[in-house]
Amino acid sequence: MRLTRRTRLAGVALIAAASLTLAACGGGSDSEGGGSNDNVITVYGTNPQNPLIPTATNEVGGGDPLNNLFSGLTAYNSDGSIVNEVAESIEPNEDSTVWTIKLKPWKFTDGTDVTSNSFVNAWNYGAKAENKQLNNYFFYPIAGTDDEGYTADGADTISGLKVIDDTSFTITLKSPESDFPLRHGYSAYFPVPDAAYDASGKITKEYGEAPIGNGPYKLTKAGWERNKQISLEPNPDYTGSHKPKNDGLVFKFYAGGGTDAAYTDVQSDNLDVLDQVPPSALTTFESDDQVSAFNEPGSSFSSMTIPERLEHFSGEEGKLRRAAISMAINRPQVTEKIFNNARTPATDFTSPVLDGWTEEVPGNEVLEFNEAEAKKLWAEADAIAPWDGSFQLAYNNDGAGNKEFVDAVTNQIKNVLGIDSSGKVYPTFDELRKEVTDRTIKTAFRTGWQADYPSMLNYLGPIYATGAGSNDGDYSNKAFDKLVSDASAAEGDERYKLISEAQTLLLEDLPAIPLWYQNATAVASKDLKGFEFNWQQKPDYYKLTK
Amino acid sequence: MWWYVGKRLLQAIPVFLGATLILFILLKLRPGDPILNLAGNKPVSQEVRDALAAQYHLDDPLFVQWFQFVKSAITFDFGETFAGQPVFDLIKETFPVTVTLAVMALSIDAILGITLGTIAGLRRNGWFDSSMLVISLAMLAIPIFVLGFVMQLIFGVKLGWTSPTVGSDWTIGDLILPAIVLAIANFAYTIRLTRTSVAENLSADHVRTARAKGLSERMVVRRHVLRNSLVPVVTYIGINLGSLMAGAIITETIFNIPGVGNAAYTAIFKGETSTVVAIVTFMVMVYVLMSLLVDLVYAVLDPRIRYA
């Protein structure tokens, strides 16, 4: 059939109409957004990947809002020390294995009381494998859980938790842990109200979308708008230590995590806080007069791991080679040239933001660049068994700066030790981690650690203790294990002395070679006041004003 | 003609099946472990791992997964993202902005490209033609992300004429700058294509005849030269809508546009098979429909083309 003039016109009209309709689809919602209250702070965020349930959220997009919506037994001060929040008191028994908790009178935003059961039920729920919560791992210190933190044998409850009455309960641990209260500011330990559970005892989908908390903020009526933003307003009944100084927070989501777009928004005053500076702006952000810049050493630690199971890296030979490689790396050069001083060369295995950290760990000269010594140690190792092959360092290419630093480090190794050395690329982090986790990786690889709670021990035990969950190099040293468990039970200066001794052991064996501490970098709009990094490399949101 | 349209739409079915199957195979080949990713690299017990795999159909054999997907896709049920949002809602949310952006870019591309290309073709080898050649070469040479960032900096941050980023409360006004950025690379092609096509047609027999009949120059150009020259240009522009939508991801990231490109990118990263397949399938369907539309427009432009 031939198109007549009329059908032709109709066709053109149809196309025009279609494009208009499509255009109209998105235009409408302009009036509702913004809510231009002067003292509401907009901060960078990403769409949460899990329901907003404390035990189900393990990534930063959901974690940041949760930390403002809930209060745990303790709360973190900016410096990483703790104050009691919902807890009236947290008292250990003699060997720090049984902790008795007393609660203050406290309410959820739905008006119900925060009771012992609000905590105990939430933790039981999180630890039960059947519920598929992702923060199970945090419950492993408590008696009645397995090594992964699930309730033993699929039980409904953790046997180490005992409710005494509405305002007190006890927690029994598997082993002594003197800094146990430090954990309780972390989001996995937040309480959950009764309203969250349905008749069968499951936390409902609705709750995961609009959680009722007990923290400094609560969700506004609009709350979590998928792929758009999460809006919080101050909780008027909040009586804790993080009383908001602003009139609310809006976590504005950036599609695909685009920090570049967010940076531009801070420059043009469309966003108040961006808590991670994009790599493209790292050289310039401190001299950019359109933003306020922040750059301090942070709590995440970068290293490279050379597992014992690799050829030439076991026993005495491996020890020598690891030390040689460590001394062949010129850390200050890399942090300055590659990272524009957004990293600080490491002098130990923890982080400078922590209580008790010191630059003076005996044995840390192995982390200094020393060409002659590196060559000497390498030659000694060659005397045990001559080196052959190539030294490769695996990295994931989806993290900014990884390729650059791996190229630099492997070049330094090549030049100093005179061996063939290069990077081995994995496209994404999970591809690299899969091979690391199932132990099929045949090369050294980059590793890192960001603590879950502000304790130096959290940087040591979970990574280097025999059989620990994140012990990627399968390191095992009985003396180290003992020092860590002794330190866990000790207090005050004695504790830091033991930690230092444990680190000295690590510096001899180098189960991971410390590289640098990642700095916390952020930019904020010019008129924002009260910005201060806390130990989690986040601003203390409640202090922000403008 | 309707029979033809119907036939073409029926052809979309094997395209749909084939495309989804290829996508499933490709995503299966992607190394890595979505569950490990989901758990944030913390230890997960085998029990939880199995349960999660079952929830997102990651444990079934490939063909079973594919079959399940097709079966539920018929009822527009594409499952849920890892974040618990129905995939269909995600698509409903993200498609309008991407389509609007693509249509705007396409309009800029078509209107400016055809106009400038025609002028250049009519005055072949004149100063206008030569300068258009240089300009379009320059536009082709600049990568889209350079152009995006530079224009964002100049017009959004320095001059403040428009909001530098779009965000989820988007308006047509916000999209103008990204649409221009998106249009520029294609627009250069359109100029070149129109110019060559027009120049060729100028010396064609039917144009000489039209001139000989004494038609005004305007009539000759509009009725006889341009209309005939547009067939290849329409093909190019039509197919472009698909690539504009799929290729908008860079623009979407620079300007923070919550569109489908970004949604697909995030999903690929997390290994969310069903989300990726659903989104890409929608894009494939857009391609199919656009090429049908292009074929129909041929008939409008050239009466000699008929569909029976």
Side-chain angles (χ1 to χ4, degrees):
Chain A
M1 188 177 93
R2 190 182 162 188
L3 288 175
T4 62
R5 188 174 172 76
R6 190 183 296 192
T7 48
R8 259 186 268 162
L9 280 175
V12 173
L14 198 71
I15 297 172
S19 43
L20 279 178
T21 327
L22 288 170
C25 279
S29 57
D30 195 38
S31 50
E32 75 194 43
S36 58
N37 192 323
D38 277 337
N39 202 15
V40 171
I41 313 292
T42 53
V43 296
Y44 170 84
T46 50
N47 196 42
Q49 293 174 22
N50 304 296
L52 286 176
I53 300 170
T55 47
T57 291
N58 64 352
E59 50 83 47
V60 65
D64 288 346
L66 270 186
N67 282 327
N68 289 293
L69 288 170
F70 287 87
S71 286
L73 293 173
T74 59
Y76 296 124
N77 296 322
S78 304
D79 63 0
S81 60
I82 49 169
V83 288
N84 283 344
E85 180 86 344
V86 182
E88 175 75 50
S89 65
I90 305 178
E91 296 295 336
N93 67 349
E94 264 166 38
D95 66 352
S96 305
T97 51
V98 180
W99 292 78
T100 306
I101 291 150
K102 289 204 164 34
L103 303 178
K104 291 176 192 157
W106 198 286
K107 283 198 187 312
F108 285 106
T109 54
D110 66 352
T112 55
D113 286 322
V114 179
T115 65
S116 308
N117 276 316
S118 313
F119 285 96
V120 171
N121 291 348
W123 302 352
N124 282 335
Y125 189 84
K128 193 177 178 199
E130 197 190 296
N131 295 327
K132 293 182 288 185
Q133 303 290 293
L134 299 168
N135 284 338
N136 52 289
Y137 158 83
F138 292 94
F139 303 111
Y140 82 89
I142 306 175
T145 61
D146 61 19
D147 287 346
E148 285 153 345
Y150 295 111
T151 51
D153 309 316
D156 284 340
T157 54
I158 305 172
S159 60
L161 300 175
K162 290 259 179 319
V163 175
I164 301 170
D165 56 42
D166 266 0
T167 56
S168 52
F169 64 103
T170 60
I171 307 171
T172 309
L173 303 181
K174 289 176 186 163
S175 56
E177 194 172 309
S178 58
D179 62 1
F180 185 63
L182 276 179
R183 293 176 179 266
H184 285 277
Y186 193 78
S187 59
Y189 298 100
F190 290 154
V192 170
D194 290 340
Y197 305 91
D198 65 14
S200 65
K202 294 274 175 242
I203 293 184
T204 61
K205 205 174 153 63
E206 290 70 36
Y207 184 81
E209 276 160 21
I212 297 159
N214 63 333
Y217 293 88
K218 58 179 187 171
L219 287 174
T220 63
K221 222 168 140 216
W224 178 8
E225 296 165 77
R226 294 250 178 199
N227 301 314
K228 182 179 171 188
Q229 61 189 30
I230 293 185
S231 316
L232 313 184
E233 59 191 5
N235 171 5
D237 303 323
Y238 177 80
T239 52
S241 55
H242 289 180
K243 189 92 188 147
K245 295 196 167 81
N246 46 49
D247 295 333
L249 298 173
V250 175
F251 289 89
K252 188 172 165 188
F253 301 153
Y254 282 79
T259 45
D260 283 312
Y263 187 85
T264 315
D265 268 349
V266 175
Q267 285 180 317
S268 51
D269 259 344
N270 290 333
L271 181 75
D272 294 320
V273 181
L274 167 63
D275 59 13
Q276 50 188 109
V277 175
S280 61
L282 273 181
T283 43
T284 53
F285 80 104
E286 287 181 284
S287 55
D288 187 340
D289 57 16
Q290 286 171 301
V291 300
S292 317
F294 303 90
N295 183 4
E296 292 169 18
S299 56
S300 82
F301 165 81
S302 301
S303 57
M304 57 191 262
T305 298
I306 312 175
E308 287 260 351
R309 58 181 177 275
L310 297 187
E311 204 186 340
H312 295 298
F313 285 102
S314 54
E316 187 58 29
E317 184 196 354
K319 221 168 165 174
L320 289 166
R321 292 204 192 277
R322 278 190 195 86
I325 286 172
S326 177
M327 286 180 162
I329 300 169
N330 188 341
R331 292 169 180 79
Q333 196 179 43
V334 179
T335 53
E336 189 195 326
K337 301 279 186 225
I338 308 277
F339 292 117
N340 299 299
N341 294 321
R343 304 281 189 283
T344 307
T347 55
D348 77 338
F349 289 83
T350 65
S351 155
V353 299
L354 300 171
D355 239 13
W357 179 85
T358 163
E359 224 174 337
E360 315 288 328
V361 182
N364 69 4
E365 57 279 354
V366 74
L367 305 181
E368 279 159 30
F369 180 59
N370 186 339
E371 208 173 329
E373 187 67 16
K375 283 190 170 120
K376 194 180 132 238
L377 292 174
W378 193 261
E380 280 174 30
D382 274 347
I384 298 173
W387 171 258
D388 62 327
S390 162
F391 178 75
Q392 285 196 308
L393 177 57
Y395 64 98
N396 52 307
N397 209 10
D398 56 351
N402 284 349
K403 179 182 163 35
E404 288 78 2
F405 99 68
V406 169
D407 284 349
V409 165
T410 50
N411 272 329
Q412 290 176 343
I413 294 171
K414 185 161 44 180
N415 293 339
V416 172
L417 301 178
I419 58 169
D420 188 32
S421 173
S422 61
K424 182 163 193 283
V425 60
Y426 288 75
T428 61
F429 184 62
D430 71 308
E431 285 165 52
L432 172 63
R433 289 304 308 179
K434 183 173 173 1
E435 291 203 1
V436 170
T437 308
D438 61 23
R439 306 288 190 252
T440 53
I441 196 157
K442 299 262 186 312
T443 62
F445 46 88
R446 68 169 281 266
T447 38
W449 187 256
Q450 163 105 55
D452 304 314
Y453 60 99
S455 158
M456 289 171 87
L457 284 172
N458 188 239
Y459 286 78
L460 302 176
I463 322 179
Y464 311 111
T466 306
S470 298
N471 191 340
D472 296 330
D474 292 324
Y475 177 69
S476 174
N477 181 337
K478 293 281 171 289
F480 171 81
D481 293 350
K482 177 156 183 352
L483 282 170
V484 167
S485 70
D486 287 353
S488 298
E491 273 173 76
D493 287 347
E494 172 66 14
R495 183 181 147 82
Y496 294 130
K497 203 180 128 254
L498 290 168
I499 289 175
S500 191
E501 281 173 31
Q503 290 218 64
T504 302
L505 280 184
L506 292 184
L507 287 164
E508 278 169 27
D509 294 341
L510 291 174
I513 297 177
L515 294 173
W516 34 76
Y517 316 114
Q518 192 166 334
N519 282 20
T521 56
V523 288
S525 60
K526 278 287 190 195
D527 54 352
L528 187 96
K529 292 179 206 68
F531 187 102
E532 196 179 338
F533 276 119
N534 62 21
W535 73 274
Q536 286 165 309
Q537 316 201 131
K538 294 282 174 188
D540 274 326
Y541 292 104
Y542 69 96
K543 287 182 186 164
L544 302 173
T545 55
K546 58 174 185 178
Chain B
M1 191 194 76
W2 299 116
W3 167 238
Y4 174 78
V5 172
K7 213 166 65 181
R8 286 286 298 265
L9 288 177
L10 279 178
Q11 281 171 6
I13 295 173
V15 172
F16 169 80
L17 294 177
T20 48
L21 183 60
I22 292 171
L23 282 165
F24 264 98
I25 295 171
L26 282 178
L27 283 161
K28 196 77 181 174
L29 290 175
R30 172 196 183 279
D33 182 353
I35 307 251
L36 198 63
N37 219 356
L38 191 64
N41 287 298
K42 294 273 157 59
V44 190
S45 79
Q46 196 56 40
E47 192 187 352
V48 172
R49 174 175 282 279
D50 293 346
L52 285 170
Q55 185 179 346
Y56 300 109
H57 303 295
L58 297 168
D59 54 347
D60 297 328
L62 190 66
F63 273 92
V64 178
Q65 281 188 43
W66 175 65
F67 184 72
Q68 291 284 354
F69 175 83
V70 172
K71 210 174 73 182
S72 11
I74 295 169
T75 56
F76 287 99
D77 169 17
F78 295 102
E80 280 186 0
T81 63
F82 285 176
Q85 186 185 25
V87 174
F88 190 64
D89 285 0
L90 178 72
I91 291 176
K92 264 200 312 206
E93 245 169 48
T94 51
F95 252 73
V97 66
T98 304
V99 172
T100 312
L101 181 66
V103 169
M104 284 172 71
L106 205 64
S107 317
I108 297 171
D109 174 15
I111 295 168
L112 279 180
I114 293 175
T115 316
L116 295 177
T118 308
I119 299 173
L122 291 175
R123 303 176 189 164
R124 189 156 40 142
N125 300 332
W127 65 267
F128 185 82
D129 185 24
S130 314
S131 47
M132 271 300 131
L133 174 68
V134 174
I135 291 172
S136 53
L137 283 179
M139 288 191 297
L140 282 174
I142 304 174
I144 193 162
F145 61 90
V146 174
L147 197 75
F149 280 124
V150 169
M151 290 187 49
Q152 182 183 46
L153 184 71
I154 295 174
F155 297 107
V157 179
K158 297 284 180 205
L159 296 175
W161 290 356
T162 169
S163 159
T165 59
V166 176
S168 36
D169 288 322
W170 55 280
T171 58
I172 300 285
D174 292 337
L175 288 179
I176 293 175
L177 189 63
I180 293 174
V181 170
L182 195 56
I184 276 181
N186 291 318
F187 158 61
Y189 275 113
T190 313
I191 296 181
R192 302 306 306 153
L193 206 59
T194 316
R195 180 239 175 228
T196 316
S197 193
V198 165
E200 219 170 74
N201 270 308
L202 269 181
S203 53
D205 289 346
H206 69 275
V207 174
R208 210 166 27 177
T209 314
R211 286 226 171 89
K213 278 199 300 193
L215 280 182
S216 71
E217 186 62 21
R218 256 182 77 179
M219 267 319 216
V220 173
V221 171
R222 231 173 59 192
R223 276 286 173 81
H224 298 278
V225 177
L226 196 53
R227 211 164 127 182
N228 273 300
S229 310
L230 282 184
V231 172
V233 179
V234 164
T235 313
Y236 174 71
I237 292 180
I239 296 304
N240 248 341
L241 180 67
S243 57
L244 280 177
M245 287 183 62
I249 174 161
I250 299 172
T251 325
E252 283 182 6
T253 309
I254 295 174
F255 294 99
N256 186 31
I257 302 169
V260 76
N262 262 320
Y265 172 77
T266 322
I268 291 171
F269 234 71
K270 287 190 275 173
E272 295 187 23
T273 313
S274 59
T275 315
V276 180
V277 176
I279 291 175
V280 180
T281 308
F282 260 80
M283 293 213 186
V284 170
M285 289 299 120
V286 170
Y287 257 101
V288 171
L289 292 178
M290 272 319 285
S291 61
L292 173 61
L293 200 64
V294 166
D295 286 350
L296 294 180
V297 174
Y298 284 167
V300 180
L301 291 171
D302 188 343
R304 288 169 300 184
I305 298 173
R306 277 162 217 190
Y307 299 113

